[in-house]
Amino acid sequence: MKTLLILFLFTSTTVFSSIMTDDLGISWGMKLSKLKVHITNQLMKKYPKYDTATPEKQDLIIKKVKDNINKILKNKVIFKEKNVKYDNSIYAGEFNYNNNESMLTLIYHKKTFRFFMINDILWKEIIVIEADNLGKKYDLAKFINHFSNKYNLKPYKIEYDKFKTDPKVPIKAYFKDDSTLLALSYNDIYESFIIVYASIDVMKALRKQGFKVIVKSDIKLDVDIGDEVKEYDQLLYETDYTSNNDDDDTKDIFNEIDKDFKKEAKDSKEKKKKREIKYKTKNK
C-alpha cells in the first residue's frame, strides 16, 4: 500500500490566480479539509448581507451553505473505474483512473470550478466559462489576445488547427511561470472556454511517489512568439498505480462529512448565542 510522504510548501497561487477567476484563493497541495473551507467561503459570498442579518436569517444562510457543501462532498467523483460519462465530459483527458484521483465540483458566479485531487491533495483546477456568460463575443483567438493584454502575459506555446492555415486558427494556448501551468482552449460542443491550472511542484512530487499526473504525452506545438521556447515536459508518467485505500476512501468520506457537521452544529450553537447577545445589545 502506497502512501504519500510529501511536505508541500503551501503558497498562494501565482499571478494566474486572478485571471478570469475573481481570484482562485487556493493553495497548491492543500488537503480536502482546507479545500472544503475554501468552497464554503466561496458559497458565503452569495450572501453579502450576512453580517448585518438577524441571527435567525444568519442561521438560514448557514443551513443553505451547509446543505450545498454536503451535496458537493457527496457528489465527489472518484476516478476508479473507466466510465463513459467521464470520458465524454468537458474535462476528459485531464485525469487518470486507478490513481487515487478524485474531483469536486463547484458552480459559482456563472463559472464551473472543478478541483482535482490525488490522495485528497489539490494539484489541478479547471474552470469552465460558457461563452455567452463572458458579456462579449469571443472566439479563442480573441480570448487569448484579451487574456494576454489584460494581464500582461503572453503564451509561450500555441497549438494551431492544422487544417486551417489562412488565417491560422489556435486551438490551445499555454502559459506558465515558476509554479503554475495554465492552458486555454475552447470546446465547441459545450460552447465554453476552458482554463486549466496545474501546479508544477505538486505534479513533480506526485510523480516521484508513483502517481500519474497527466494522461497525454507532450507534443510538438507550433509557436507564435518571437522568444526562443524551451521544450516543456508535461510530466508524463505512465506506470500503473493501484491502492488498497480506494475502497476505504469511498466508504469513509461519508463518516468524515458526518463528523464535520456534528462539530459544526456544536460550534454553530455557541456562535448563535454570541450573535444573539450582540444583536440584542446593538438594538437596545
Side-chain angles (χ1 to χ4, degrees), residues 32 36 69-76 104 253 257:
L32 177 60
K36 178 185 165 186
I69 289 289
N70 196 11
K71 287 176 185 175
I72 288 169
L73 292 174
K74 285 188 175 180
N75 285 304
K76 178 183 180 184
L104 293 181
I253 185 167
I257 293 168

Side-chain angles (χ1 to χ4, degrees), residues 165-182:
T165 57
D166 190 21
K168 292 193 293 184
V169 177
I171 57 177
K172 185 173 280 191
Y174 298 85
F175 299 78
K176 77 171 181 175
D177 64 8
D178 291 338
S179 63
T180 304
L181 300 175
L182 187 148

